[in-house]
Every structure is written in structure tokens, then in C-alpha cells.
Amino acid sequence: MRNQTYILSKLVEIAVIFFVIMTALFFLFRLSPGDPISKVVDPMLTPEDMRYLIEQMGLDKPMWEQYVIYLKNFFAGNFGVSFHYGEPVFKIIKERLGWTILLFTSSTVLAAFAGVFLGKIAAWNKGSRLDSVMSISALVCYTLFIPWFALLLLWVLGFQLGLFPLGGILSPELWVGNASWFVKVLDIIHHMVLPLMTLFIINLGSYLLLMRSSMLSVLREDYIITARAKGLSERVIRNKHAAKNAALPVVTSVGLSLAFSINGGALTEQIFTWPGIGRELIFAVSNNDYPLAQACFLLIALVVLVANLIVDILYAYLDPRITY
Amino acid sequence: MALLSIKNLTIGYQTKEGILKAVDDISFELEKGRPLGFVGESGCGKTTLGMTLMGLLPDNARILGGSIGFQNKDLTQLNEDQWRKVRGKEIAMIFQAAMNALNPVMRVDEQVIEAIVTHQPEISPNDLENRINELFDLVEIPRARMKDFPHEYSGGMKQRVIIAMALACNPKLIIADEPTTALDVIVQDQILKEIKIIQQAMDTGLIFISHDIAVVASVCEDICVMYGGQIVETGTKQEVFASPRHPYTKALLGSYLSLDNQASVIIPDMREAPDLTLKSGSCRFAVNCKRCSRACKIGIPHWANISKTHRVLCCDETITGKTNE
Amino acid sequence: MLKTHYIRRFLKSWKIFIQNPLGKTGVIILTVFMLMALASFIVPHINPMYDPMTGIDPDIRVSTGPSLTHFLGTDNVGRDLFAQLLEGAKVAFIVGLSSAFFSIVIGTVVGMVSGYAGGMLDAFLMRMADIIMVMPSLVILLILASLFGQFNIWIIVFIIAIMRWPAVSRVIRSQTLSLKQRPFIEASQVAGASHLRIIFRHIMPNVLPLAFLYMTFRVTSAILVEAALSFLGFGDPSQVSWGMMLQWVWKSGHMFQAPYWLIPPGLSISLLTLAFYLLGRAMDEVLDPRLRKEGQS
């Protein structure tokens, strides 16, 4: 019962924040240099098409009416027509969203689990060679510049060693032919390895370091002495008592570093030509495809907010001290 | 036969300034039916002693000498694996509940179950359940609250759980380290009564450590007064209260005497903390002792038997002599 | 009198700081890059062909590897890569330090006001901080770039600062909250000091060390974001930054053939970021004695 009200209040909060962002974007559009109409309707269209779209978007109406139509359109899924593709933006985004979520979620989850696991070991062996190696490696990972690292991986593993494809999500030959469903999935995974590895390694660094320091402070707590006094083995103490408590701040940090992860995700998508929203946004911005850019941006904002919500709920579920 | 027999035990901490002797050449014996209390200010070594008896000394501490005789074993010679079999099963510790002594993300009953299952892995689920219920009843925690988390418990309830955890495997010796500090007085009283009842019912040996001599006196039969890592006086409860000999013991008791007795007791001025790096054999209390003479500064305090059970560690003849003040 | 006290405390902290292996490494790396940045002012004057943007070696038309005249080689139009690297160091420092500085200024003011005022203002500011902190800076910069066109380096610095102050403000706020309880604040209030005066004369000096500690972490994220932005092609076109060098190597298709071009800029970004991070961690240990290892005073 309590948890439901919590989730509900959080959903309302997200809605409000998103609303604020949408409004901010609306006004930014109007404030930016250039004719606002040319930002929504492709100036290359024929005058009749332009007039149709202008009417549909309500661009000839007063500001506040435009705003209402803008909101209505958004919730109806009408994001306008992409200048570049000449198709409804909604259609384009729909195809892209799934790929981004796939890459983003899998890399975050894998990095979190690996970070917790390795950080636990590093803290347990504090001061040893193993710990130094792990900590330094994690530090290096944390400060890597993503595009550079991605390019390096691409160069070494993709180009020099030829182990992985250089981009995209699938090899067209396989898909045009009659390959089985299993082979197709394998192909996607094959293409996913390098971008996944990039994001995984970058995120792993920060989670490992955080888990390590969290674990070190947990190990100083009194309930660890109690556990020892009960005669528990070191392994049980480490995993059941220490790690469970130490992992909690890491969950929180996953939420906090979502912004950083999304930035990284966009860059990774760009380099590996992974057809996700991040890449689409970059593309749209480079080509002045305003409707597409705007929609990609709003969608990314929404993904960030929802992801934060999921992390918050997860944390509340894991920590019995949180009550609402 | 004594349950626990400590001879010349010395424990030191490795610090930048050298070896700090937290416990310096102490000897005592514990009988099963007679709870023994250790009293002293913080830093006198009583907690270190407690931890040593559990094998829970931190990494920078070391047993420098002496022996701990328990159940035909010398505990100073145990390695970690052997200690793990002893801890919780033969010797158990009751910690201060004010600390974060319970794991916040584990249910309370699970934590007690863990104590049992670690040492009795083949226990049947039925027996386990009976035992858990028995324990929680014993410490008077309602069964409905058994599956709560620690943060949902009051201070007194947390202390009770810790007691239950210590009792889980019917240990032969229980060490209680400041179990009632930080609890309010009424709860403190209840807990002390419960500890006493449990000790008698289960016939375990009990070492009770506290800075509060009144608390120790309400539970224990014999008292050891510690100062600067040494036992400065030991005797039955009656002897120590009725005729304290060592100036420090008098200081402790002096804080509790009623107004009409105050005039006849000299309370030393405790200005300095004891120097734990002094070599063995010198009087650590000398800096604070009003009766300190030149002989005390160079002399070696020795044990003087006042009675069969009452001993005091001092150089001063007037204190150790059979004459009273 | 007070000044010598601060100087003594600073020297003591410096001693602890420099003993720390993290701090030592950080300082060494930083010094190297600082020298590089300073060198960037001199190098183009040695020979015009060393100008990072416009200097073209008349003998070279394609990207070449390291040689005596060009330490790192040249890019595909014949510009010296080492000169570009030096210029990139200069840009990185400017962007990193000024952006961090602005975000500290904003974050400290907001944190102090929020912590001191409490109530609705506090709740509102912290909510805003939460929301801003959650937003991915690169994405926001991109959408702004699409609307407002190519950015000047200082606009980039400012926008990054706006995105990054929330983290600072949280820490400053909690510090302010604990300071607020102290008797000397109450004494000032009773003496009739205005709130503004209390904030700036009494609270600020006590929170500043913390603010500067967190400045190092802001620098790292500022450098990374600017590099990413330049890499994508939205940086300031009049400055050669490391991100831009990477963009050129990528766009010109040389990334697989020219390791001497690909590796140095990215390596520099990572090393400089690492150096600031190590600096921050070492400062952390200096300020919080509990984190110090045994053996250090």
C-alpha cells in the first residue's frame, strides 16, 4: 500500500518535470534566431504542403494556442515531419528507441553487477597487489574519453584483428537471405559486442570504485564484528553481510550517473553507427532537422526520467529502512 | 575447577609511538556460578580483554604473553579456523546495542537463525523453529515482531536480540561488554535483571564489563577493578564495596557514596590518563595518586592478599597492610 | 595574525598532500600539461608553419608520421600535430578551469542561500538542482546547438557551468546547514548582522575549502563534455581542442591509418582528466583525516 503511493507520487513528479522541459523547449524554439516556422516546417516543401502543415501545427495562431496544440500533438504522437527523411518523426523514433534501450540497459546492468562483484573483491583484499591493479584500472576506465576509446577498440578489434564488424546492427546479406531467426539474433549480438564493451568498460570503472569505498566503510561497521562473533566464515561475512549493505549506495549512484551514461551512449552510437536515438539526435542537429531533433531530445529526457524512477523504486525495494 | 583461567596475559597495540600495552600482565580465574565484573574507565583495557577472549582483536593488536585456559585449551594458541568454532558456540559476546550491532538489511530472526545454523548445520527445521521461539520467549520479545528489521526495534529490544544471539548455541561463557550503556535507566534495570536470570538458569560463566560499578555490582558476585591495563584490585562484591583498598577503587566508589559518607573518603584527583607505554612493573596510577610517595615512583607494585578472595596491587604499605584506614 | 594561521595550515596540508602518491602523480601530470599549454603561446612564433589552425608545411600535402620537424607528424592538410596538441592543452585548461570556477560560484551561492534560508526556497532550489543534475549535459548542449547555431568557447563554458552547479550546491548546502547550528552564527544574528552579511562574511570562508575541493571534479567533467561536443563537430571552430583533433582524424577517414594522429589527443584528454581526479582525491584525503592511510601524519 505504501509503495503504491510512493510510485504514484514519483510518476506525478516525472510528469511535472517533463512538462516543464517541454515548455522550456517550446519557448527556446521561439527565442532562437531564425523564423520559427522554418523550424517546424521544411522550407523546401511546396507552398501547399507548407500551408497544410502550418495549419496542422497551428503555427499561424497566437502563442498560447500554439502551445496547446504543441502539447496536444505531442501526446497524440504527432511530432511533425522530418525534413531529412520526409516521413513522420514518430515512425523514425519508434524504430530507434528499441535499439538504444537494448544497448543502454544491457551495458548498465552488466557494468553494475560486474562493478559490485569486483569492487567487493577489491575492498576485501585491500592493500594487496590485486586491489591496486583493480583500483588503478578502474580509475583509468573512469577517465577514458569515450569516442577515443571507442575508436581504439574499433581500430584494434574491428579493423586490425577483424573480429567484429565496424558498425551498424546487422549484416545485410544475412538478413536479405533466408537465414534462421537464431542466426539473425547472433548477428545482432555480434554487432553489439564492441559498443557494449565500450559502454561497459567506461561505466565499470566508476561502479567498481564506488563499491570498493562503500565496502570499506561497511567493513568498519559494528554488525561486521557481530557477524564475526557468531563464528561466521569470512566468505559469508563478505557476501551476506558486507556486500549487501555496500551495494546500496552503488544503486543510487547508477541513478545519479544516468546522465553521464546517456551522454556516453549517444557518443558510442555515433561511432559504431548503432541506430539509436542518440545517434539520430546528433544527425538531426547536424542537418538542421528540427522536428526530428526536438523529438529525439524529448524522448531522451523521458528515458532519463523513467530510468531514474526505476532506480529509485529498486532502491526502495532493496533497503528495508526506506518507508514511505 | 575454574571455567576460565587467565595467567599473566599481556596484549599490546602496535602504534607509531611503539607498543601500547592495553592489557598488562593480568591474571584471574572465573568460576561458572559466579559472574565476574570488570570495571574501569574507557581505555583501561577491559574491552580489549573482552575482544581477546573472543579472538576478535584488530590487526594491529597482538598477544604478547600469558595464557588463557578454557576447556583444556589455551586460547592464545588458536588459529583463525579454530577460533571460528569457538566463537558463538563456546564463548559468546553480548555487544552494546547502541552501536550498529545488527545488520540493517537482514530480518532479526534471520540473524539469530544464522548464529544457530553456523554451528549446527544439520539441525532440522522443526528443531530450529522451536529453538528460535524458545530464545525469543526467553528474552521476552513478542513472536509477532520476530520478522521485523532492526531499525523497527527500540534500543531495549535490540539489546534483547543481541542477548538472544549470544545465547543461541548455549555457550559455556558469555562476555557482556557494556550491554546497558546508552539504554535509559528503566530499560537498563530490566535488562540487567534478565541477564542475571538467564545466567543462573543456563548456568553459564559470565564476564560483565562496564564503566559503571553500580551496574556491575547488581549482576556480579566478584569484581575486578582495572586501571591502565592492569587489575588493581579484585575481590568479592561485598569486600570491594565495604573495604576498598586501592585509591582508584575508592575514586570509583566515591562517585556513588551518599552525602553523609563523603567526608571520610579521599577521592584522588584524576588529572592524567595512564601512560600505557610504561614498562611492566611500574605503577600506572602513580601520576594521579594522592598517596604517591617516592617509593611508589620507583617501586614495583605487588599483589597483597587482604583475604582469600580480596587482593590489591600497590606499593604502599598502609594500603596493602592489614590495617584499615 | 589570521593570515599566518592560514598559511601555516596550508603548508601543513600541502605536506600531507604531496606525500600522498595520488596527489604526487596528479601534480606531476598537471605540471606537464601546464607546460604544454604555456608552450602553445610560444610555438607558433617559432615558425608560422607551426600554427595549429593555419600553419601548413609547404612541403607536406598528406598526413605524415612523426619526424624531426614534426614531433607527432602532420594531419591530412599538413598542419603540425604537436602544435595542435599544445593548443589543445591550452583550451582544455581554459575550458576546464573557467567552467569549474563558474559552476563553483553558482553552486556555492545557491548552496549557501538554500541551506541558510531553509523552508520553501530551500526545497525549490534543491528540486531544481535535482532536475538539472539528472539531465545529460551533452544532449542539452546538442539541442541548444541546433537552435542557436555554432557556439563560441565561452558560451560552451557557461552552459557547462549551468549544468554542473547542482553537485556543488548539495555539498555546500549540507555544510551550511551544519554551520548554521554553530553558536557564532547565532551570535552574529543576535548582534544584528544582516543575513547577507552572515552568509558572505561568516559562512562563505568556512565552505570555500570544500568548494574548491569539488572544483577539481567539475573540471574533469567540463573537459570531457567539451571534448565530446567538439568531437561531434559542435565545438568552437576557432579553437583547436583535442576533441576537435579527434573529429578531424575521424572525419578524414585516417583513424585506422594514423595512430600518431589518433592516439595523442585522446590520451591527453584521459591523462588530464585523470590528473585532476587524482588531485581531487588527494585533497579529499587531506581534508578528511579518516581517509588517510596509516603512516601519514
Side-chain angles (χ1 to χ4, degrees):
Chain A
M1 207 71 245
R2 298 184 306 217
N3 283 332
Q4 281 175 349
T5 33
Y6 175 62
I7 296 179
L8 215 62
S9 67
K10 278 273 167 181
L11 280 173
V12 167
E13 214 179 272
I14 290 183
V16 169
I17 297 175
F18 191 67
F19 187 72
V20 167
I21 294 177
M22 274 178 60
T23 311
L25 193 60
F26 177 81
F27 283 109
L28 276 177
F29 248 53
R30 302 296 179 279
L31 285 171
S32 61
D35 170 28
I37 295 189
S38 69
K39 296 226 169 77
V40 183
V41 179
D42 190 348
M44 307 290 223
L45 294 177
T46 61
E48 298 87 46
D49 290 335
M50 276 179 78
R51 209 167 305 124
Y52 170 70
L53 271 176
I54 290 178
E55 270 181 43
Q56 219 203 22
M57 295 280 165
L59 291 171
D60 45 354
K61 304 225 175 57
M63 187 78 93
W64 70 268
E65 252 188 80
Q66 283 188 39
Y67 182 56
V68 172
I69 296 178
Y70 166 73
L71 291 178
K72 250 182 28 199
N73 277 337
F74 183 83
F75 287 107
N78 182 355
F79 300 136
V81 177
S82 155
F83 294 172
H84 178 87
Y85 294 102
E87 290 187 355
V89 168
F90 184 69
K91 181 159 170 285
I92 301 167
I93 296 185
K94 212 170 57 160
E95 290 165 27
R96 307 279 181 262
L97 185 60
W99 295 118
T100 297
I101 300 221
L102 174 64
L103 188 61
F104 181 67
T105 317
S106 45
S107 65
T108 306
V109 168
L110 280 175
F113 273 102
V116 165
F117 180 71
L118 292 174
K120 171 181 79 177
I121 296 181
W124 196 255
N125 293 305
K126 180 179 168 197
S128 72
R129 198 32 106 62
L130 181 66
D131 175 36
S132 307
V133 166
M134 275 198 199
S135 299
I136 296 182
S137 315
L139 201 55
V140 169
C141 292
Y142 182 61
T143 51
L144 284 175
F145 182 51
I146 295 181
W148 180 66
F149 182 60
L151 282 176
L152 277 181
L153 277 185
L154 200 56
W155 179 44
V156 173
L157 293 177
F159 184 72
Q160 298 277 52
L161 298 179
L163 287 174
F164 298 103
L166 296 179
I169 50 164
L170 43 87
S171 316
E173 327 80 59
L174 269 179
W175 287 65
V176 166
N178 271 331
S180 74
W181 164 93
F182 182 66
V183 169
K184 285 184 183 169
V185 167
L186 229 56
D187 184 43
I188 294 184
I189 294 181
H190 189 218
H191 279 85
M192 200 163 92
V193 170
L194 282 185
L196 186 65
M197 209 195 285
T198 308
L199 284 177
F200 172 75
I201 291 182
I202 304 273
N203 284 316
L204 178 65
S206 71
Y207 296 150
L208 196 158
L209 289 173
L210 187 65
M211 177 66 179
R212 181 180 177 277
S213 71
S214 173
M215 187 85 167
L216 286 176
S217 60
V218 161
L219 286 174
R220 289 195 282 258
E221 292 278 359
D222 301 315
Y223 53 85
I224 300 293
I225 302 180
T226 309
R228 284 227 169 83
K230 285 197 273 198
L232 297 175
S233 74
E234 293 295 293
R235 209 158 143 265
V236 169
I237 296 177
R238 182 187 74 188
N239 294 338
K240 209 163 141 201
H241 289 265
K244 266 207 198 150
N245 278 282
L248 290 177
V250 179
V251 172
T252 314
S253 115
V254 169
L256 289 175
S257 63
L258 275 174
F260 178 68
S261 307
I262 296 250
N263 283 347
L267 289 169
T268 308
E269 283 179 10
Q270 175 76 338
I271 297 199
F272 293 103
T273 47
W274 183 264
I277 308 189
R279 181 164 172 270
E280 211 59 48
L281 174 66
I282 297 171
F283 177 76
V285 171
S286 315
N287 289 293
N288 290 326
D289 190 343
Y290 299 107
L292 188 58
Q294 185 180 19
C296 285
F297 172 73
L298 287 177
L299 205 56
I300 292 179
L302 194 61
V303 165
V304 168
L305 290 172
V306 169
N308 262 295
L309 175 66
I310 294 178
V311 169
D312 276 341
I313 296 179
L314 189 64
Y315 187 85
Y317 174 69
L318 289 174
D319 188 346
R321 287 168 289 191
I322 308 287
T323 49
Y324 290 96
Chain B
M1 233 290 277
L3 177 64
L4 185 70
S5 173
I6 308 244
K7 291 190 174 54
N8 306 106
L9 186 64
T10 305
I11 300 165
Y13 282 89
Q14 182 76 37
T15 66
K16 283 195 316 290
E17 287 105 27
I19 305 232
L20 225 69
K21 294 216 190 85
V23 170
D24 192 4
D25 194 27
I26 63 170
S27 308
F28 66 89
E29 291 203 340
L30 171 72
E31 303 281 342
K32 212 164 33 149
R34 299 183 66 86
L36 176 60
F38 277 84
V39 192
E41 60 192 19
S42 11
C44 71
K46 52 193 202 300
T47 300
T48 305
L49 178 63
M51 289 305 211
T52 312
L53 291 172
M54 291 286 290
L56 286 177
L57 285 173
D59 288 331
N60 60 337
R62 212 157 297 123
I63 298 179
L64 298 172
S67 68
I68 305 176
F70 176 76
Q71 308 267 82
N72 295 324
K73 290 193 280 264
D74 182 359
L75 296 182
T76 59
Q77 306 299 325
L78 292 187
N79 65 27
E80 186 59 24
D81 281 325
Q82 291 166 319
W83 261 119
R84 232 171 274 139
K85 297 204 186 74
V86 170
R87 278 185 219 134
K89 187 160 190 291
E90 317 259 345
I91 309 179
M93 194 146 183
I94 298 177
F95 294 96
Q96 225 187 94
M99 315 188 305
N100 213 356
L102 293 172
N103 189 334
V105 300
M106 255 174 102
R107 292 184 197 278
V108 168
D109 63 343
E110 275 168 29
Q111 302 196 41
V112 182
I113 289 175
E114 211 183 19
I116 302 175
V117 170
T118 309
H119 296 287
Q120 297 175 269
E122 344 72 38
I123 191 173
S124 74
N126 220 20
D127 286 338
L128 184 61
E129 200 186 320
N130 288 336
R131 181 77 183 134
I132 290 285
N133 289 333
E134 207 184 307
L135 283 169
F136 273 82
D137 287 342
L138 183 63
V139 296
E140 294 182 14
I141 293 182
R143 293 210 191 161
R145 302 290 305 269
M146 260 166 56
K147 287 210 167 295
D148 285 355
F149 284 99
H151 65 274
E152 298 174 279
Y153 272 16
S154 70
M157 286 175 82
K158 277 197 270 206
Q159 189 67 69
R160 294 203 179 100
V161 173
I162 294 173
I163 295 174
M165 272 196 318
L167 298 173
C169 297
N170 281 326
K172 308 268 183 330
L173 170 64
I174 295 179
I175 304 168
D177 189 353
E178 309 264 17
T180 55
T181 313
L183 293 175
D184 65 60
V185 195
I186 299 179
V187 178
Q188 179 173 291
D189 208 43
Q190 287 171 341
I191 301 273
L192 287 176
K193 283 204 182 72
E194 277 178 33
I195 291 181
K196 209 158 173 199
I197 295 173
I198 290 172
Q199 184 268 326
Q200 280 166 353
M202 296 180 63
D203 199 27
T204 56
L206 175 66
I207 290 185
F208 195 102
I209 300 174
S210 178
H211 61 274
D212 187 336
I213 197 168
V215 163
V216 167
S218 67
V219 177
C220 301
E221 292 296 322
D222 300 312
I223 297 183
C224 280
V225 178
M226 278 188 82
Y227 183 82
Q230 297 170 323
I231 297 178
V232 295
E233 184 160 356
T234 172
T236 65
K237 170 167 66 175
Q238 293 78 7
E239 284 168 334
V240 174
F241 268 78
S243 50
R245 291 298 183 120
H246 197 278
Y248 180 66
T249 315
K250 292 193 190 144
L252 279 180
L253 288 170
S255 354
Y256 292 93
L257 286 181
S258 54
L259 287 166
D260 43 299
N261 268 341
Q262 224 173 18
S264 57
V265 174
I266 305 162
I267 304 172
D269 203 346
M270 309 289 286
R271 240 179 274 123
E272 290 183 37
D275 183 357
L276 299 178
T277 54
L278 284 176
K279 61 176 177 14
S280 289
S282 38
C283 178
R284 299 219 172 141
F285 192 64
V287 285
N288 283 316
C289 187
K290 278 222 169 91
R291 308 181 63 92
C292 179
S293 60
R294 271 213 1 253
C296 286
K297 290 214 180 93
I298 53 173
I300 300 172
H302 54 271
W303 282 108
N305 291 324
I306 316 253
S307 78
K308 204 168 66 152
T309 46
H310 191 180
R311 293 182 301 151
V312 76
L313 182 74
C314 196
C315 310
D316 192 325
E317 287 286 317
T318 51
I319 289 184
T320 58
K322 296 231 185 333
T323 51
N324 279 331
E325 285 308 302
Chain C
M1 245 281 274
L2 220 59
K3 288 233 172 77
T4 47
H5 167 73
Y6 278 128
I7 292 179
R8 228 182 311 130
R9 240 180 41 182
F10 177 72
L11 285 176
K12 178 160 164 259
S13 308
W14 176 255
K15 218 179 75 169
I16 302 175
F17 177 77
I18 207 69
Q19 267 178 3
N20 189 317
L22 296 178
K24 253 196 294 221
T25 322
V27 168
I28 293 176
I29 301 180
L30 266 184
T31 318
V32 168
F33 279 112
M34 200 108 68
L35 290 173
M36 281 171 66
L38 290 173
S40 78
F41 287 107
I42 312 173
V43 161
H45 296 289
I46 299 179
N47 185 326
M49 87 170 164
Y50 285 134
D51 185 295
M53 279 291 268
T54 59
I56 301 180
D57 189 328
D59 303 322
I60 298 178
R61 291 293 154 77
V62 295
S63 178
T64 56
S67 66
L68 279 177
T69 40
H70 299 280
F71 292 148
L72 288 177
T74 63
D75 69 2
N76 62 334
V77 280
R79 293 179 291 195
D80 181 75
L81 288 177
F82 189 63
Q84 291 186 346
L85 200 69
L86 294 181
E87 169 101 355
K90 180 177 78 172
V91 173
F93 270 106
I94 293 178
V95 170
L97 291 174
S98 33
S99 173
F101 181 72
F102 286 132
S103 64
I104 296 288
V105 166
I106 302 175
T108 307
V109 170
V110 171
M112 285 195 304
V113 167
S114 188
Y116 187 76
M120 289 281 292
L121 183 61
D122 178 25
F124 173 70
L125 284 173
M126 283 303 110
R127 219 66 204 84
M128 262 187 54
D130 277 340
I131 297 173
I132 296 180
M133 200 150 63
V134 158
M135 287 291 127
S137 45
L138 187 62
V139 170
I140 299 215
L141 276 165
L142 284 175
I143 195 77
L144 288 175
S146 86
L147 291 176
F148 294 97
Q150 207 81 28
F151 284 135
N152 168 281
I153 193 87
W154 293 107
I155 310 267
I156 296 178
V157 161
F158 192 61
I159 297 181
I160 295 180
I162 294 186
M163 307 264 349
R164 289 268 158 253
W165 63 259
V168 182
S169 70
R170 288 211 150 267
V171 175
I172 301 290
R173 175 180 172 271
S174 53
Q175 183 82 336
T176 308
L177 281 177
S178 65
L179 278 175
K180 208 166 74 157
Q181 321 286 9
R182 299 253 205 99
F184 76 94
I185 297 289
E186 222 180 285
S188 310
Q189 285 172 331
V190 165
S194 74
H195 292 307
L196 231 63
R197 191 182 161 79
I198 294 180
I199 292 181
F200 285 103
R201 280 302 303 279
H202 297 286
I203 297 188
M204 195 167 82
N206 284 299
V207 299
L208 271 184
L210 208 59
F212 277 104
L213 167 65
Y214 276 83
M215 183 157 141
T216 55
F217 298 120
R218 297 303 113 230
V219 172
T220 61
S221 64
I223 293 179
L224 287 173
V225 170
E226 186 279 328
L229 200 64
S230 302
F231 174 75
L232 293 174
F234 300 107
D236 186 338
S238 66
Q239 311 271 359
V240 178
S241 74
W242 290 327
M244 205 158 280
M245 284 176 74
L246 284 176
Q247 198 221 9
W248 288 333
V249 75
W250 186 45
K251 279 280 155 66
S252 67
H254 277 75
M255 50 190 184
F256 295 156
Q257 291 93 357
Y260 51 84
W261 191 1
L262 174 65
I263 296 184
L267 191 61
S268 304
I269 298 174
S270 298
L271 279 179
L272 189 61
T273 313
L274 185 67
F276 274 108
Y277 180 78
L278 288 177
L279 211 70
R281 282 295 301 276
M283 274 169 69
D284 216 355
E285 285 186 23
V286 166
L287 286 180
D288 186 351
R290 284 174 300 168
L291 294 177
R292 286 186 214 141
K293 301 200 193 61
E294 286 122 30
Q296 291 177 340
S297 50

